[in-house]
Amino acid sequence: MINISKAAKAAGLPVKTVRYIGNIDLVAAQQRSASGYRLYDDRSLRKLIFVRRTRSFGFSIEACRDLLDLYHDSGRSGFDVKRLAEGRLTNIDQKQHDLQSLLDDLSHLIHAWRGDQRPECPILEYLA
Amino acid sequence: MINISKAAKAAGLPVKTVRYIGNIDLVAAQQRSASGYRLYDDRSLRKLIFVRRTRSFGFSIEACRDLLDLYHDSGRSGFDVKRLAEGRLTNIDQKQHDLQSLLDDLSHLIHAWRGDQRPECPILEYLA
DNA sequence: ATAGGGGTTCCAGTAACTGGAATGTCAAGA
DNA sequence: TCTTGACATTCCAGTTACTGGAACCCCTAT
């Protein structure tokens, strides 16, 4: 059981954001101490990490919630799960493709910048 | 020269957002028609695409602005450019690592969900 | 020439934080 | 034991990056 600042640090999120994530019922602390301090166990910490990752790649809070819900809502039918998963799959494929393009762009940019001189080739040439 | 709806479609952004991106002086239309319509050329379109990509992976507007500025501000010294570029590099390395983790997580999730049945293995087991 | 589907600006609202004030708690040192 | 400083709490206001809507203008095709 770790307190909020340790959880925040381990998850790579600001403490404020961890509190916010709890306030909107996305990831709650596993319990509170006698004096009301949030206490996170390993599972809630993993959820925070998952939230940081999904959020940092542009998924909405509600998308995160859906993904996390899949784990919790054991009453959900196999069909529902599959449909939701398939939806996300398309989404992820696009993201993956997009990320590749961005990494290509940035990689070109970085290599062009590596020297001390401004590259001759205009940076935006690389942006497809 | 294409109008805003074509530019928006080509860039994968809502028209509203393209206008917003212009309003905050991030990417302006190359010119306006006689009647005030925004007109985008190839270069401004490429910038919009670049902005969508960077934004969709969690870079702030100001980070986008810095990257785009590197292209425009030809008065910038080689040193400045290099320092800024090196800063972004670290950033990108982290993102890349992070993305790999997220893709691993999601890939596990997806494969676990592919069948009609809820997987036996709890989803969050995969979240490192 | 006119109807419909664009475009424009401006202003208000939303999502996801983020900062700050007021207050409570805990652990370490005098 | 007391105190002091770094942490925690809630609540409320402010910011960033859109997003929707009203009111109005423009262009194309019947």
Side-chain angles (χ1 to χ4, degrees):
Chain A
M1 285 306 205
I2 57 177
N3 68 11
I4 196 167
S5 61
K6 283 180 183 163
K9 190 167 188 184
L13 288 167
V15 169
K16 274 270 181 187
T17 302
V18 174
R19 253 182 230 118
Y20 173 75
I21 285 169
N23 289 343
I24 61 171
D25 295 317
L26 186 57
V27 178
Q30 197 266 335
Q31 62 168 274
R32 296 287 185 119
S33 75
S35 52
Y37 283 25
R38 288 166 179 83
L39 296 173
Y40 293 85
D41 60 354
D42 192 55
R43 167 160 301 195
S44 48
L45 175 56
R46 282 163 187 274
K47 288 185 195 174
L48 288 177
I49 292 169
F50 181 72
V51 167
R52 179 184 52 74
R53 286 202 189 119
T54 49
R55 291 287 306 130
S56 81
F57 291 108
F59 288 91
S60 72
I61 293 280
E62 291 316 306
C64 289
R65 198 189 298 280
D66 284 347
L67 289 168
L68 288 171
D69 278 357
L70 282 181
Y71 175 64
H72 289 293
D73 184 7
S74 48
R76 202 185 286 267
S77 83
F79 258 163
D80 284 350
V81 171
K82 196 172 183 182
R83 195 160 38 76
L84 191 45
E86 295 300 333
R88 289 286 161 235
L89 244 192
T90 310
N91 220 290
I92 288 153
D93 281 351
Q94 287 168 348
K95 277 258 166 249
Q96 218 158 0
H97 177 270
D98 241 44
L99 179 84
Q100 194 53 60
S101 300
L102 180 59
L103 289 183
D104 287 351
D105 287 351
L106 292 175
S107 158
H108 278 298
L109 284 170
I110 289 154
H111 287 109
W113 292 338
R114 276 206 178 276
D116 284 330
Q117 298 300 316
R118 163 170 294 273
E120 313 77 28
C121 42
I123 283 162
L124 291 174
E125 290 297 310
Y126 295 118
L127 312 178
Chain B
M1 287 305 206
I2 56 177
N3 68 12
I4 196 165
S5 61
K6 282 179 184 163
K9 190 167 188 184
L13 289 166
V15 168
K16 275 271 181 187
T17 302
V18 174
R19 251 182 233 119
Y20 172 76
I21 286 169
N23 290 343
I24 61 172
D25 295 316
L26 186 56
V27 178
Q30 196 267 333
Q31 61 168 271
R32 294 288 184 118
S33 76
S35 52
Y37 284 26
R38 289 167 179 82
L39 295 174
Y40 293 86
D41 61 354
D42 192 55
R43 167 159 304 193
S44 49
L45 175 57
R46 282 163 188 275
K47 288 185 196 174
L48 288 177
I49 292 167
F50 182 73
V51 168
R52 180 184 50 76
R53 286 200 191 123
T54 48
R55 289 287 307 127
S56 82
F57 291 108
F59 288 91
S60 72
I61 292 280
E62 292 315 307
C64 289
R65 197 188 299 280
D66 285 346
L67 289 167
L68 288 172
D69 278 357
L70 282 181
Y71 175 64
H72 289 294
D73 184 8
S74 47
R76 203 186 287 266
S77 82
F79 258 165
D80 284 351
V81 171
K82 195 172 182 182
R83 195 159 38 76
L84 191 46
E86 295 301 334
R88 287 287 160 235
L89 243 192
T90 310
N91 219 288
I92 289 153
D93 281 351
Q94 287 168 348
K95 277 258 166 250
Q96 217 159 359
H97 178 269
D98 240 45
L99 179 84
Q100 192 53 59
S101 299
L102 180 59
L103 288 183
D104 288 351
D105 288 351
L106 293 175
S107 156
H108 279 298
L109 285 170
I110 289 154
H111 287 110
W113 292 338
R114 273 203 180 278
D116 285 330
Q117 298 300 318
R118 161 171 295 273
E120 314 76 29
C121 40
I123 282 163
L124 292 174
E125 290 297 311
Y126 295 119
L127 311 178

